[in-house]
């Protein structure tokens, strides 16, 4: 089975700066958006097991509290001008 392509997920919290996570946890942007939507709908945190925080080189597990997130962008490229918002 091929490795998942890395996606860029940019979270914009209330009153804060964007947080960028690069992750290979999902097959595509649609799967990532569905997981984020489920977490928001059920008031859960989003857990990523193959993530890099703010372009770091090490891959780690990350838990994101979505309670104060205003918008989320999912993209296959690291660019402020691409992606989909929830």
């Amino acid at each position: 089975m091929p490795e998942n392509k890395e996606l860029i997920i940019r979270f914009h919290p209330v009153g804060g700066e964007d947080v960028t996570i690069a992750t290979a946890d999902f097959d595509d942007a649609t799967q990532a958006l569905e997981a984020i939507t489920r977490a928001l709908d059920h008031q859960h945190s989003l857990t990523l097991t193959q993530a890099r925080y703010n372009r770091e080189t090490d891959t780690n597990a990350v838990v994101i509290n979505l309670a104060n997130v205003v918008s989320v962008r999912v993209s296959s490229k690291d660019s402020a001008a691409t992606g989909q918002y929830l």
Side-chain angles (χ1 to χ4, degrees), residues 1 8 11-12 20 24 28 31 35 38-39 41-42 46 52-55 58 60 69 71-73 77 80 83-84:
M1 180 172 220
I8 307 302
F11 299 91
H12 183 76
T20 302
D28 56 29
Q31 189 183 48
R38 268 193 313 278
D41 286 348
H42 295 94
L46 179 66
R52 294 184 303 113
Y53 175 73
N54 279 344
R55 299 170 189 84
D58 293 335
N60 298 293
V69 172
S71 62
V72 179
R73 177 181 295 194
K77 294 187 251 177
Q84 302 174 21

Side-chain angles (χ1 to χ4, degrees), residues 4-85:
N4 289 350
K5 183 177 178 181
E6 192 169 72
L7 293 172
I8 307 302
I9 304 177
R10 191 178 307 253
F11 299 91
H12 183 76
V14 173
E17 294 184 29
D18 284 2
V19 176
T20 302
I21 303 285
T23 182
D25 280 81
F26 307 104
D27 293 331
D28 56 29
T30 301
Q31 189 183 48
L33 287 170
E34 288 171 355
I36 294 165
T37 301
R38 268 193 313 278
L40 284 167
D41 286 348
H42 295 94
Q43 298 178 350
H44 291 138
S45 296
L46 179 66
T47 303
L48 304 171
T49 59
Q50 303 173 51
R52 294 184 303 113
Y53 175 73
N54 279 344
R55 299 170 189 84
E56 291 179 351
T57 56
D58 293 335
T59 300
N60 298 293
V62 176
V63 177
I64 301 154
N65 179 352
L66 298 171
N68 292 317
V69 172
V70 175
S71 62
V72 179
R73 177 181 295 194
V74 177
S75 176
S76 57
K77 294 187 251 177
D78 191 7
S79 169
T82 61
Q84 302 174 21
Y85 280 101

